Amino acid sequence: MRMPLEDDGWHRIMKSVKLKIGKKKMKNIGLRSIMILRDEQGVRATDALCRHMAWPLPYGGKIKDDCVTCPLHQTRYDLNSGEVKEWSPFPLIPKYGKIVGKLRRPSPLAIHMARELDGWIEVKLNS
Ligand code: FES
């Protein structure tokens, strides 16, 4: 479902009640794929595609300790800053993860602003 661009840059993404704690969703804002998630901290928004090889993080990404870990090669990003905590470590033996990790330089995951207003989750893109 396409959402209109608000004047102040906030985009209505989905109804709040549709996102339970511990769940993630993938949504688009224009051509950009966004991951929306709810954890103990509240609602968060990041880019949806892993910076390594573009795996969609809402599909199998593990949320733990304020980080999201990609299921493909287990690159781990800080959910507050987007900083890379570990780049493509999996699998360890053979060292396939480290080899494919060299295909692309580590780069942070974009973190976006998220809020809940009038029963809606809204996102403002940071860049
Ligand atoms: S695609 Fe995410 S770690 Fe490789």
Side-chain angles (χ1 to χ4, degrees), residues 50-55 57 70-75 77 88-89 100:
C50 180
R51 299 291 298 162
H52 177 227
M53 292 175 75
W55 180 269
L57 295 169
C70 178
L72 204 53
H73 310 105
Q74 298 183 8
T75 290
Y77 303 93
S88 188
V100 296

Side-chain angles (χ1 to χ4, degrees), residues 11-118:
H11 302 261
R12 284 211 159 158
I13 300 298
M14 60 187 294
K15 290 275 195 185
S16 288
V17 296
K18 300 276 187 183
L19 190 66
K20 305 290 183 211
I21 194 159
K23 299 295 182 187
K24 311 174 286 296
K25 298 277 185 190
M26 188 158 155
K27 298 287 180 180
N28 285 335
I29 298 176
L31 297 176
R32 194 149 185 182
S33 295
I34 304 295
M35 175 169 71
I36 312 293
L37 65 99
R38 185 189 298 280
D39 64 6
E40 303 77 27
Q41 312 297 318
V43 173
R44 304 176 192 242
T46 73
D47 271 2
L49 303 180
C50 180
R51 299 291 298 162
H52 177 227
M53 292 175 75
W55 180 269
L57 295 169
Y59 300 107
K62 296 265 188 296
I63 309 297
K64 186 178 176 193
D65 298 333
D66 274 352
C67 290
V68 58
T69 302
C70 178
L72 204 53
H73 310 105
Q74 298 183 8
T75 290
R76 190 162 46 97
Y77 303 93
D78 185 304
L79 280 170
N80 295 308
S81 66
E83 170 193 357
V84 174
K85 294 291 199 179
E86 198 168 19
W87 186 253
S88 188
F90 183 80
L92 297 173
I93 300 169
K95 295 189 176 209
Y96 177 73
K98 290 291 179 201
I99 292 167
V100 296
K102 291 182 189 224
L103 295 174
R104 191 146 189 213
R105 297 172 77 169
S107 58
L109 188 67
I111 305 296
H112 307 292
M113 290 184 278
R115 70 182 182 189
E116 292 182 89
L117 191 66
D118 299 330

